[in-house]
C-alpha cells in the first residue's frame, strides 16, 4: 500500500484516533500489564488511568461465573502464540465488582525486537440487551416465559444426537380450552396458564430436560432416563397438580389435561415422528374416557383419521343423514321396570361401518358441529317418542348435549319446534324428555349455561347432569342448576363392589343429590352385584351393559313390547 503521508505524521494521527476513540484502547507489555490506556477504557472499566497502568489485563477479564473451561486470559495467551489476533465476547470485570457485557480484541505487535499487545475493549451492553430480548422473543413463550416450540425442538434434536439413554417425549394440553377462552378474560387465562406452569415448574422433576410451553394451551416435556418407565412417577406427580383447583379471577376452576407420551427409540428415531406420535397419543387420551395419560402404542389404533379429513367427512355425513340414534335402556331400581332410554349417536359410515362416538365426537365438538348433530338426534328422538306413544309406550328419553351448543342462536328455537311437534300427541309429556349435559362441558358457574338450563326447565323439559364426578363441577355448585337427575359416572361404579372408598363417595353423592331434590342414575352397571349395591345406596335408576347395550330403534321397540307383556 502506498503511503501518502510520512510515518511521523501517521503516528500522530493514529495516536489521536486511539486517544479519542469510543472504544477502550490499550497497550500491554510482554507481561500482559497495561502500559498505555485511553480515556474511554478508564470510563468503561471505572478505574483511573493511574490505577490501570501496571495492572494486569487479568484484573478485568477475570470472571468467576464463566462456564468456559479455560479463563479468558488463558485462551488469549494460548491463541496469540499461534495467531497474531484474538477476539472474544466476555463479561468484563469493572470497578466495584460490576460485570458488563463486552468484547475484546487483542493483536500482538513486534517493535524493534520487543513485543507488545495492542487491544480494544468494547462495551456492548446495548446490543447484547437487544440480542437477549430477541432471543427471548424467539425462544420463549411470552405468557409463561417457558421455552417455546422452536427451543424445545432444538433441544430435542441435540439430545437425539447425543443420548445413550431413552428419551420420553410428552405432549399435553388443556381439555375444553376453547370454552375457557369464550368464558374468561384474556388476563385470567394468562394467569391460569402461569399458575399451571408454576405448579409444574416447582415440582423439580428428576430426569426432566426441558419443560416447554409449546403453543396456546399446549405444553411439551422431554425426559432422558435409563428406562422410559422411570418417567412414570413424574407424570403421575404432574397429573396430581390438577386435582387442586386453580384461581380464575374470583372463581375457582379445575383444569383437566390430556397427556400423550412417546419414547425414543421405541416409537421412532426422528424428532418429528416422536413429537407426532406423542400428539397422537394425546388426542387418543382426549377421546378416551377416563384415560388422562396415554403412551403411544400402534396396537391401540391411534392411526385415526386426521381431524381435518374427519371434519370434512362429518359435514358430509350430517348432510347425508348418516348419524343414527341408538337407544340404551335405563331401569328403575326399586321396581326393576324399564324406565326409558338414552339416545346415543352412531355413525353409519359408508366404508368403515358402524362407528361409536369415541371415534368422532371430539372432532364434532371441536369443529363446532355439535349443534347440527344435536338437532338431528333431537328430531329422530322426537319422531321415535311419538311412534312409541302411538303404541302406548310412554317412556323417558334422554338426549345428550354439549353445553357449547347452548350458545348456538337456534338452540332453544329448535327445541321449541320439536316440542310443538310432539305436543300434537295428546299423551306427550315434555318432562319425560330429558336433556343431558356433561359435567365437563358445563364450566364453572357460567351464566349462559345457568340461563339455558333454566330455559329448558321453563319449556317443561327435564335436565340431567351427565358423567358426574369427572368434570369441573363439584357438589358445591350443583345447586346453581335445577337438575332433575344426576348421572354418576361409570368410573365410580367400576370398582364400587370392591373399593369401599368409591362406595362411600357414591353414598355421599346420593345423599347430597337427594337433599337438592334430584334423582340419581348410576351409569355403566355391568354386574348384578353392582346393580344390587347401587340400589341399596339409594340410586333411583341404573343403566349399563348388565341391562342392555345401546341398540337400534327397532330393537328398542322390541324390548318395549316384550316388557309390556311381562
Ligand atoms: P354418555 O352419555 O355418558 O353415554 C354412556 C356411554 O357409556 C355410552 O357410550 C354407552 O354405550 C357406554 N356405556 C353404557 N353402559 C356401559 C357399560 O355398562 N359398560 C361400558 N363399558 N360402557 C357403557 P357411547 O355410546 O360410546 O357414547 C360415549 C359418549 O359420547 C356419551 O357418553 C356422550 O357423552 C357422547 N355422546 C353420545 N351421543 C351423543 C350425542 O348425540 N351428542 C353429544 N353431544 N354427545 C353424545
Ligand atoms: Mg349421556
Ligand atoms: Mg355418561
Amino acid at each position: 500500500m502506498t503511503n501518502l503521508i510520512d510515518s511521523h505524521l501517521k503516528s500522530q494521527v493514529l495516536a489521536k484516533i486511539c486517544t479519542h476513540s469510543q472504544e477502550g484502547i490499550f497497550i500491554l507489555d510482554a507481561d500482559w500489564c497495561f502500559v498505555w490506556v485511553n480515556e474511554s477504557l478508564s470510563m468503561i472499566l471505572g478505574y483511573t488511568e493511574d490505577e490501570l497502568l501496571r495492572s494486569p489485563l487479568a484484573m478485568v477479564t477475570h470472571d468467576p461465573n464463566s462456564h468456559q473451561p479455560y479463563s479468558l486470559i488463558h485462551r488469549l495467551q494460548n491463541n496469540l502464540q499461534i495467531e497474531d489476533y484474538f477476539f472474544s465476547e466476555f463479561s468484563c470485570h469493572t470497578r466495584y465488582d460490576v460485570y458488563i457485557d463486552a468484547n475484546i480484541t487483542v493483536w500482538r505487535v513486534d517493535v524493534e525486537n520487543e513485543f507488545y499487545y495492542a487491544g480494544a475493549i468494547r462495551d456492548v451492553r446495548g446490543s447484547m440487551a437487544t440480542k437477549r430480548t430477541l432471543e427471548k422473543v424467539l425462544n420463549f413463550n411470552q405468557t409463561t416465559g417457558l421455552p417455546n416450540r422452536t427451543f424445545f425442538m432444538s433441544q430435542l434434536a441435540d439430545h437425539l444426537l447425543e443420548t445413550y439413554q431413552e428419551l420420553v417425549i410428552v405432549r399435553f394440553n388443556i381439555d375444553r380450552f376453547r370454552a375457557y377462552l369464550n368464558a374468561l378474560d384474556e388476563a385470567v387465562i394468562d394467569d391460569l396458564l402461569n399458575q399451571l406452569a408454576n405448579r409444574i415448574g416447582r415440582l423439580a422433576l428428576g430426569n426432566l430436560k426441558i419443560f416447554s410451553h409449546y403453543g396456546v394451551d399446549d405444553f411439551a416435556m422431554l425426559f432422558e432416563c435409563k428406562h422410559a418407565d422411570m418417567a412414570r412417577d413424574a407424570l403421575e406427580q404432574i397429573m396430581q397438580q390438577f386435582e387442586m383447583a386453580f384461581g380464575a379471577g374470583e372463581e375457582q376452576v379445575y383444569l383437566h389435561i390430556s397427556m400423550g407420551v412417546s419414547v425414543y427409540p421405541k416409537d421412532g428415531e426422528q424428532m418429528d415422528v416422536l413429537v407426532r406420535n406423542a400428539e397422537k397419543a394425546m388426542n387418543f387420551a382426549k377421546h378416551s374416557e377416563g384415560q388422562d395419560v396415554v403412551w403411544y402404542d400402534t396396537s391401540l389404533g391411534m392411526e385415526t383419521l386426521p381431524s381435518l379429513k374427519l371434519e370434512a367427512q362429518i359435514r358430509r355425513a350430517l348432510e347425508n343423514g348418516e348419524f343414527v340414534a341408538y337407544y340404551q335402556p335405563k331401569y328403575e331400581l326399586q321396581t326393576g321396570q324399564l324406565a326409558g332410554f338414552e339416545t346415543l349417536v352412531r355413525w353409519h359410515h359408508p366404508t368403515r361401518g358402524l362407528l361409536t362416538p369415541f371415534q368422532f365426537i371430539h372432532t364434532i365438538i371441536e369443529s363446532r358441529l355439535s349443534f347440527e348433530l344435536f338437532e338431528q338426534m333431537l328430531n329422530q328422538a322426537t319422531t321415535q317418542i311419538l311412534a312409541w306413544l302411538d303404541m302406548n309406550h310412554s317412556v323417558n328419553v334422554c338426549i345428550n348435549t354439549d353445553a357449547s351448543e347452548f350458545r348456538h342462536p337456534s338452540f332453544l328455537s329448535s327445541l321449541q319446534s320439536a316440542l310443538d311437534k310432539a305436543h300434537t300427541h295428546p299423551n306427550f309429556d315434555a318432562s319425560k324428555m330429558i336433556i343431558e349435559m356433561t359435567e365437563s362441558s358445563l364450566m364453572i358457574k357460567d351464566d349462559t349455561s345457568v340461563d339455558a338450563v333454566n330455559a329448558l326447565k321453563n319449556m317443561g323439559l327435564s335436565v340431567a347432569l351427565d358423567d358426574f364426578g369427572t368434570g369441573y363441577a363439584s357438589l358445591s355448585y350443583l345447586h346453581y342448576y335445577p337438575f332433575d337427575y344426576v348421572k354418576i359416572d361409570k368410573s365410580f361404579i367400576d370398582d364400587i363392589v370392591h373399593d369401599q372408598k368409591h362406595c362411600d363417595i357414591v353414598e355421599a353423592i346420593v345423599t347430597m343429590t337427594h337433599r337438592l331434590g334430584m334423582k340419581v342414575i348410576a351409569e355403566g352397571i355391568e354386574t348384578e352385584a353392582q346393580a344390587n349395591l347401587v340400589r341399596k345406596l339409594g340410586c333411583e335408576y341404573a343403566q349399563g351393559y348388565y341391562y342392555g347395550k345401546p341398540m337400534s330403534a327397532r330393537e328398542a321397540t322390541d324390548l318395549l313390547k316384550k316388557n309390556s307383556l311381562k
Side-chain angles (χ1 to χ4, degrees):
M1 206 194 299
T2 330
N3 269 318
L4 295 180
I5 55 170
D6 74 55
S7 54
H8 176 66
L9 192 59
K10 187 177 106 186
S11 306
Q12 277 191 326
V13 172
L14 290 179
K16 196 126 200 143
I17 292 172
C18 290
T19 307
H20 298 291
S21 165
Q22 300 261 313
E23 292 191 8
I25 296 182
F26 56 86
I27 300 174
L28 308 172
D29 61 17
D31 295 326
W32 306 92
C33 292
F34 293 107
V35 289
W36 184 84
V37 297
N38 73 353
E39 216 178 298
S40 293
L41 190 74
S42 292
M43 302 246 304
I44 292 170
L45 300 177
Y47 294 102
T48 63
E49 184 184 338
D50 280 351
E51 285 168 327
L52 283 174
L53 292 178
R54 281 177 291 278
S55 298
L57 175 67
M59 174 174 89
V60 298
T61 59
H62 164 73
D63 178 7
N65 299 318
S66 168
H67 298 300
Q68 295 273 4
Y70 298 103
S71 68
L72 182 88
I73 199 80
H74 184 96
R75 284 189 289 131
L76 195 153
Q77 290 169 351
N78 275 349
N79 236 273
L80 288 180
Q81 283 180 7
I82 312 161
E83 294 172 56
D84 37 329
Y85 156 77
F86 174 84
F87 171 86
S88 177
E89 286 180 344
F90 79 119
S91 196
C92 180
H93 186 195
T94 66
R95 192 163 203 163
Y96 312 117
D97 265 350
V98 175
Y99 288 84
I100 62 168
D101 294 318
N103 62 42
I104 184 169
T105 317
V106 183
W107 294 266
R108 201 186 128 114
V109 190
D110 293 317
V111 188
E112 294 165 8
N113 293 334
E114 288 194 51
F115 65 86
Y116 294 88
Y117 301 98
I121 288 178
R122 182 184 294 187
D123 175 351
V124 291
R125 273 175 293 180
S127 56
M128 281 305 270
T130 320
K131 194 171 149 201
R132 284 210 186 101
T133 315
L134 201 64
E135 265 174 9
K136 223 170 161 162
V137 171
L138 291 178
N139 290 311
F140 293 87
N141 182 282
Q142 298 304 294
T143 308
T144 55
L146 290 173
N148 64 9
R149 181 175 182 278
T150 317
F151 197 67
F152 180 82
M153 293 305 256
S154 76
Q155 292 283 303
L156 178 56
D158 288 351
H159 278 84
L160 283 171
L161 280 177
E162 289 164 9
T163 193
Y164 291 104
Q165 306 197 56
E166 293 197 325
L167 297 179
V168 178
I169 293 97
V170 178
R171 294 281 315 271
F172 69 86
N173 68 15
I174 302 173
D175 296 343
R176 298 186 168 273
F177 190 66
R178 195 180 274 174
Y180 285 105
L181 285 180
N182 288 338
L184 302 172
D185 289 345
E186 207 179 314
V188 176
I189 297 275
D190 285 355
D191 185 43
L192 272 177
L193 293 168
N194 271 306
Q195 290 177 55
L196 185 159
N198 290 337
R199 267 191 202 180
I200 295 178
R202 271 202 303 268
L203 291 174
L205 301 166
N207 301 319
L208 178 65
K209 293 297 157 194
I210 180 167
F211 172 30
S212 154
H213 189 167
Y214 214 70
V216 190
D217 67 316
D218 253 310
F219 294 84
M221 290 176 138
L222 173 68
F223 292 87
E224 186 180 37
C225 23
K226 206 160 171 216
H227 302 295
D229 274 346
M230 291 164 79
R232 281 185 194 271
D233 182 50
L235 303 188
E236 179 65 26
Q237 285 188 55
I238 294 170
M239 295 315 287
Q240 280 168 6
Q241 300 308 306
F242 295 87
E243 289 170 8
M244 294 168 282
F246 289 80
E250 312 226 309
E251 302 286 348
Q252 298 234 303
V253 293
Y254 285 88
L255 296 181
H256 279 219
I257 58 167
S258 300
M259 187 181 273
V261 188
S262 68
V263 176
Y264 164 85
K266 177 179 82 66
D267 301 324
E269 304 217 331
Q270 275 161 4
M271 180 164 79
D272 49 343
V273 174
L274 287 160
V275 171
R276 207 171 44 240
N277 286 346
E279 191 174 322
K280 277 182 194 161
M282 175 178 79
N283 289 331
F284 192 89
K286 216 168 259 306
H287 293 142
S288 71
E289 284 173 42
Q291 243 185 310
D292 302 329
V293 184
V294 169
W295 291 63
Y296 182 76
D297 180 353
T298 40
S299 69
L300 287 179
M302 287 177 185
E303 312 289 335
T304 46
L305 283 177
S307 263
L308 278 177
K309 206 165 156 199
L310 186 58
E311 183 181 335
Q313 290 194 4
I314 288 169
R315 286 181 189 277
R316 195 213 57 228
L318 280 164
E319 279 168 24
N320 294 351
E322 290 170 19
F323 291 107
V324 183
Y326 266 52
Y327 299 90
Q328 183 175 34
K330 183 177 69 186
Y331 284 78
E332 197 175 355
L333 279 161
Q334 280 310 324
T335 60
Q337 288 293 311
L338 175 63
F341 296 94
E342 173 174 5
T343 313
L344 292 161
V345 64
R346 294 291 178 267
W347 181 359
H348 275 290
H349 194 281
T351 54
R352 298 170 72 201
L354 196 67
L355 304 184
T356 58
F358 156 69
Q359 289 152 295
F360 57 84
I361 201 81
H362 176 70
T363 310
I364 290 199
I365 293 169
E366 285 288 302
S367 353
R368 300 177 184 228
L369 290 169
S370 67
F371 172 73
E372 280 73 11
L373 174 72
F374 166 72
E375 236 184 351
Q376 296 199 0
M377 289 300 107
L378 173 70
N379 291 335
Q380 291 184 33
T382 311
T383 309
Q384 194 56 58
I385 290 170
L386 294 178
W388 286 335
L389 283 176
D390 281 343
M391 298 176 215
N392 276 329
H393 298 303
S394 173
V395 284
N396 280 327
V397 174
C398 294
I399 299 168
N400 285 289
T401 59
D402 185 87
S404 61
E405 291 154 25
F406 299 165
R407 287 195 169 77
H408 195 283
S410 309
F411 179 71
L412 291 176
S413 59
S414 153
L415 262 167
Q416 193 55 57
S417 7
L419 285 178
D420 291 345
K421 181 177 158 200
H423 277 301
T424 55
H425 199 291
N427 295 338
F428 175 73
D429 176 358
S431 71
K432 288 193 166 181
M433 201 161 178
I434 303 165
I435 306 299
E436 278 188 16
M437 57 212 75
T438 55
E439 191 195 12
S440 52
S441 74
L442 263 185
M443 294 277 305
I444 28 172
K445 201 180 78 194
D446 165 36
D447 287 345
T448 321
S449 304
V450 177
D451 291 349
V453 177
N454 280 315
L456 297 176
K457 288 293 294 173
N458 291 337
M459 289 166 132
L461 295 157
S462 294
V463 279
L465 182 62
D466 201 357
D467 299 351
F468 186 79
T470 60
Y472 310 103
S474 70
L475 287 167
S476 61
Y477 41 91
L478 256 188
H479 68 270
Y480 289 119
Y481 293 91
F483 292 119
D484 300 282
Y485 303 94
V486 169
K487 300 184 83 168
I488 301 184
D489 190 65
K490 178 176 177 301
S491 53
F492 290 104
I493 306 297
D494 282 342
D495 44 10
I496 189 172
V497 176
H498 307 290
D499 185 341
Q500 187 59 38
K501 214 164 74 202
H502 275 176
C503 189
D504 293 343
I505 292 174
V506 171
E507 192 168 20
I509 296 176
V510 172
T511 311
M512 174 76 181
T513 312
H514 284 169
R515 206 171 291 155
L516 293 168
M518 303 168 186
K519 289 184 171 151
V520 183
I521 305 172
E523 283 193 282
I525 302 289
E526 293 184 347
T527 66
E528 190 178 359
Q530 289 171 338
N532 288 336
L533 186 52
V534 294
R535 177 165 16 90
K536 234 176 63 202
L537 294 175
C539 296
E540 278 86 0
Y541 298 96
Q543 182 183 336
Y545 292 174
Y546 172 64
Y547 297 100
K549 289 195 170 181
M551 52 188 85
S552 67
R554 198 172 48 79
E555 291 167 310
T557 308
D558 289 345
L559 185 71
L560 270 174
K561 283 183 192 158
K562 220 164 61 198
N563 249 67
S564 62
L565 292 177
K566 274 186 189 167

